[in-house]
């Protein structure tokens, strides 16, 4: 039983490292988030993009940090997705 648990844990850790190696992270600057529910709207839209693995939206800084698979989407496409739902967005350089 213990071997199965350890084997599962090892598989999880290895797959996490491989996943992180195949991903990119971008910081987006978002204008127009005027209420505290806006970040949820932005997060839902970004999570629908194929290749997006993780999204953190911060209302206070009017920004989003997105981890994604660069073979499936690009930073400019992520910014366009948010712009298209009404929040003008640029990729932070």
């Amino acid at each position: 039983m213990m071997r199965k648990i350890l084997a599962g844990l090892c598989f999880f850790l290895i797959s996490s490292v491989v996943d992180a190696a195949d991903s990119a992270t971008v910081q987006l600057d978002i204008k127009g988030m005027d209420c505290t529910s806006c970040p949820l709207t932005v997060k839902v839209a970004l999570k629908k993009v194929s290749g997006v693995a993780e999204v953190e939206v911060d209302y206070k800084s009017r920004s989003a940090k997105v981890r994604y698979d660069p073979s499936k989407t690009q930073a400019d496409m992520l910014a366009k997705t948010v712009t298209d739902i009404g929040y003008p967005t640029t990729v932070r350089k």
Side-chain angles (χ1 to χ4, degrees):
M1 171 104 167
M2 184 60 98
R3 282 186 177 174
K4 287 183 181 181
I5 292 172
L6 288 174
L9 180 59
C10 288
F11 176 76
F12 172 75
L13 291 174
I14 290 170
S15 65
S16 295
V17 170
V18 170
D19 184 45
D22 294 339
S23 67
T25 302
V26 65
Q27 191 80 21
L28 302 174
D29 292 317
I30 306 167
K31 295 182 180 183
M33 288 199 301
D34 298 326
C35 68
T36 55
S37 64
C38 293
L40 179 60
T41 304
V42 171
K43 184 174 185 170
V44 168
L46 287 168
K47 291 287 267 180
K48 289 180 180 178
V49 176
S50 178
V52 170
E54 185 177 358
V55 179
E56 296 174 21
V57 183
D58 184 58
Y59 173 72
K60 189 174 182 180
S61 68
R62 307 297 198 270
S63 66
K65 181 179 176 183
V66 184
R67 189 170 59 86
Y68 65 97
D69 181 342
S71 71
K72 294 182 179 178
T73 191
Q74 298 297 315
D76 291 339
M77 182 57 79
L78 298 171
K80 182 179 180 331
T81 296
V82 180
T83 298
D84 288 350
I85 61 167
Y87 303 97
T89 300
T90 55
V91 175
R92 187 177 292 174
K93 302 293 180 188

